[in-house]
Amino acid sequence: MTFRRTKIVATLGPASSSPEVLEQLILAGLDVARLNFSHGTPEEHKARARLVRELAAKHGRFVALLGDLQGPKIRIAKFANKRIELAVGDRFRFSTSHPRDAGTQEVVGIDYPDLVKDCGVGDELLLDDGRVVMRVEEVAADELRCVVLIGGPLSDHKGINRRGGGLTAPALTEKDKADIKLAAEMELDYLAVSFPRDASDMEYARKLRDEAGGSAWLVAKIERAEAVADDEALDGLIRASDAVMVARGDLGVEIGDAELVGIQKKIILHARRYNKAVITATQMMESMIHSPMPTRAEVSDVANAVLDYTDAVMLSAESAAGEYPVEAVKAMARICLGAEKHPTSQKSSHRLGHTFERCDQSVALATMYTANHFPGVKAIISLTESGYSPLVMSRIRSSVPILAFTPHRETQARVALFRGVYTVPFDPAALPADKVSQGAVDELLKRGVVEPGDWVILTKGDSYHTTGGTNTMKILHVGDSLV
Ligand code: G6P
Ligand code: MG
């Protein structure tokens, strides 16, 4: 059996909300459905979430739901005529007092009063993900006066970033706070926080999530220059999160595209080092918004992320608003499988030189060492409550599938994000203690994952239903009678 290890996150939107398209996305290999809280109403998100869960269940699939908070993206207001065209050398102003719906060829309103305070003469401002660039020439009490360096169209509500970062809006807006409550109500599996500056933004989000009664794992979107300024900043943010996203759109604008490839590799490496899952996002298949096949450059980009050992690759507009959402998921799945054949996808450096912090981590890492070095091991069974044990296992490169055996819906969905991890619904407490190993292996025999003569590794703790309790690794010979 060939398992695709790298997971696919696809954003749902107008192009992918009908039951027909959603069903096809799920059959094409969707692992995590992303709901973008920057667009759409709570009712729309709820309807999509319900459909995803229904259709996944219909096909015996486990698809996680990820809500993505809008965050404090700083945006311009509106133009009187929707859109203007700027040329190099044009003068243009951002004003905190200009009417919000009456932008002109010379000036547009901005809803972020601190912009004037945060910016100085000589700063470069990037609009619409860098498509238009201006330099600040003069700072007045209520406006920035700029000159256009790269011209192009500018339309309503386009985002604005500063080269080098440092615009200091707090990470959670009032809308985000309301959406954290919505996420709890919807029992989302993951919640992505946009533009966190440091660990304290993630801690605050965690507090709000807890107060709302949610259990979503928190994903830090790495998209500010400050977040990657040095290892201390990056690692602090990673450690305060459950997973991270390489959010290449805003990040690329702030640090410059030339830095992006190196930073992507670093974020993935560091996330894995701290036992966190990581998603690589933005423009991976951009041309597929209008084309049924990706460019060679896009194929290379997805494959590069796979070789970097990302847990998941993500589609944004390609699946939310594009003409070929199903083809985009299929293409991603195909490219991931291809790149996973490469030896660097399967070989591990085993954290040589590291010490382990906990018993369950030690068992998880010993399991991977054995799986990679004992010929004949075809699968790993991890009895898990929260998904933590398979998460740690999947930080190590391997070609052996990791099967998270758990009775919990939340965990079944959550592990959908982890590279090389698949789930089997299973409650060890429902069997006599001496029948658990046999019962678990039988599930794999039934699914055709293993056959008699194969080896399987199983991990568990002394009692059932104790997260963090794993202290045992068993090596089982399929076909023997097991206890
Ligand atoms: C299941 C097993 C226990 C194990 C636990 C680990 O409940 O039956 O024996 O200790 O999972 O869960 P974790 O959340 O730490 O992966
Ligand atoms: Mg972003």
Side-chain angles (χ1 to χ4, degrees):
M1 260 181 117
T2 317
F3 288 95
R4 168 170 46 80
R5 296 185 82 85
T6 315
K7 303 306 180 71
I8 297 176
V9 183
T11 307
L12 303 188
S16 45
S17 297
S18 72
E20 295 73 30
V21 174
L22 256 177
E23 185 161 29
Q24 287 187 62
L25 289 184
I26 290 171
L27 292 173
L30 173 69
D31 295 294
V32 179
R34 171 174 177 257
L35 305 168
N36 186 353
F37 288 140
S38 298
H39 305 283
T41 63
E43 285 62 43
E44 282 167 342
H45 294 309
K46 282 185 190 167
R48 285 176 187 142
R50 206 175 316 119
L51 261 181
V52 169
R53 285 188 170 142
E54 269 170 33
L55 292 167
K58 173 176 161 195
H59 292 285
R61 293 280 314 279
F62 301 88
V63 176
L65 290 172
L66 178 147
D68 198 331
L69 298 174
Q70 178 173 32
K73 175 102 181 171
I74 300 171
R75 293 178 184 276
I76 59 171
K78 290 163 80 172
F79 291 95
N81 297 321
K82 286 205 161 55
R83 164 195 162 108
I84 60 166
E85 189 75 36
L86 290 163
V88 177
D90 282 359
R91 306 278 147 176
F92 194 78
R93 298 167 3 243
F94 298 97
S95 161
T96 54
S97 56
H98 191 78
R100 290 290 165 273
D101 50 4
T104 69
Q105 189 66 37
E106 286 84 38
V107 61
V108 72
I110 187 123
D111 284 321
Y112 177 62
D114 281 349
L115 184 74
V116 176
K117 216 172 68 197
D118 288 348
C119 290
V121 171
D123 282 358
E124 275 182 28
L125 298 177
L126 298 104
L127 292 121
D128 192 11
D129 290 343
R131 287 183 184 86
V132 171
V133 180
M134 304 191 192
R135 188 176 58 227
V136 179
E137 299 280 271
E138 214 184 317
V139 181
D142 62 346
E143 65 179 25
L144 294 176
R145 299 180 184 143
C146 306
V147 60
V148 176
L149 303 182
I150 297 179
L154 192 59
S155 52
D156 293 353
H157 295 310
K158 288 297 180 210
I160 177 164
N161 298 72
R162 179 168 70 174
R163 176 99 63 206
L167 297 184
T168 54
L172 294 169
T173 64
E174 291 310 312
K175 172 171 163 50
D176 295 336
K177 291 177 191 169
D179 287 338
I180 290 177
K181 292 193 185 132
L182 176 65
E185 193 192 321
M186 293 169 69
E187 299 182 39
L188 296 188
D189 304 296
Y190 289 94
L191 191 58
V193 178
S194 294
F195 299 99
R197 291 166 297 189
D198 50 29
S200 67
D201 280 335
M202 296 308 295
E203 283 153 15
Y204 185 46
R206 195 173 296 279
K207 179 171 156 269
L208 294 176
R209 178 206 65 182
D210 290 346
E211 283 169 9
S215 59
W217 279 21
L218 296 183
V219 183
K221 291 169 72 177
I222 311 289
E223 54 186 337
R224 288 197 195 236
E226 300 94 300
V228 295
D230 52 50
D231 283 4
E232 210 181 314
L234 177 63
D235 292 354
L237 202 43
I238 291 173
R239 292 163 80 158
S241 316
D242 301 305
V244 301
M245 185 191 292
V246 190
R248 304 187 305 181
D250 288 290
L251 186 60
V253 168
E254 292 210 355
I255 66 174
D257 53 9
E259 297 297 318
L260 205 53
V261 178
I263 288 286
Q264 170 177 318
K265 289 180 192 292
K266 181 168 171 173
I267 296 170
I268 294 173
L269 184 72
H270 285 220
R272 300 180 58 78
R273 184 179 292 166
Y274 288 108
N275 294 328
K276 314 290 178 173
V278 50
I279 303 166
T280 304
T282 320
Q283 289 186 352
M284 300 209 91
M285 295 283 200
E286 188 77 358
S287 76
M288 289 195 77
I289 296 173
H290 299 298
S291 158
M293 66 182 274
T295 66
R296 298 293 185 270
E298 288 162 346
V299 170
S300 262
D301 181 43
V302 172
N304 176 54
V306 172
L307 296 179
D308 288 345
Y309 223 70
T310 190
D311 283 271
V313 285
M314 188 172 115
L315 296 168
S316 305
E318 301 93 330
S319 56
E323 292 168 45
Y324 301 98
V326 178
E327 287 80 356
V329 171
K330 283 187 180 159
M332 257 190 170
R334 184 174 74 229
I335 297 160
C336 289
L337 274 169
E340 287 167 13
K341 288 190 201 143
H342 195 274
T344 61
S345 278
Q346 304 182 3
K347 256 185 15 225
S348 160
S349 52
H350 299 300
R351 299 188 181 196
L352 295 175
H354 286 255
T355 49
F356 304 154
E357 288 153 14
R358 301 170 24 163
C359 293
D360 56 350
Q361 272 182 21
S362 307
V363 172
L365 296 169
T367 296
M368 297 316 291
Y369 192 84
T370 308
N372 285 345
H373 291 262
F374 187 45
V377 174
K378 289 290 160 53
I380 296 160
I381 296 172
S382 170
L383 303 192
T384 182
E385 281 293 296
S386 66
Y388 180 75
S389 303
L391 170 66
V392 175
M393 290 174 186
S394 66
R395 299 311 84 194
I396 301 293
R397 292 177 186 229
S398 178
S399 60
V400 181
I402 300 160
L403 293 123
F405 276 56
T406 181
H408 308 299
R409 184 204 67 77
E410 294 84 351
T411 306
Q412 286 153 6
R414 179 170 289 145
V415 301
L417 179 64
F418 307 157
R419 181 144 169 171
V421 180
Y422 317 91
T423 194
V424 172
F426 186 81
D427 184 2
L431 294 170
D434 62 349
K435 296 278 185 288
V436 169
S437 298
Q438 187 67 60
V441 168
D442 286 349
E443 291 288 337
L444 295 190
L445 278 165
K446 206 166 78 190
R447 287 168 169 75
V449 178
V450 296
E451 49 188 49
D454 289 341
W455 292 91
V456 166
I457 306 177
L458 181 148
T459 67
K460 65 187 188 89
D462 286 339
S463 67
Y464 298 116
H465 305 321
T466 322
T467 188
T470 296
N471 62 6
T472 310
M473 164 185 152
K474 296 176 83 170
I475 306 181
L476 305 170
H477 195 222
V478 179
D480 293 0
S481 104
L482 305 171
V483 289

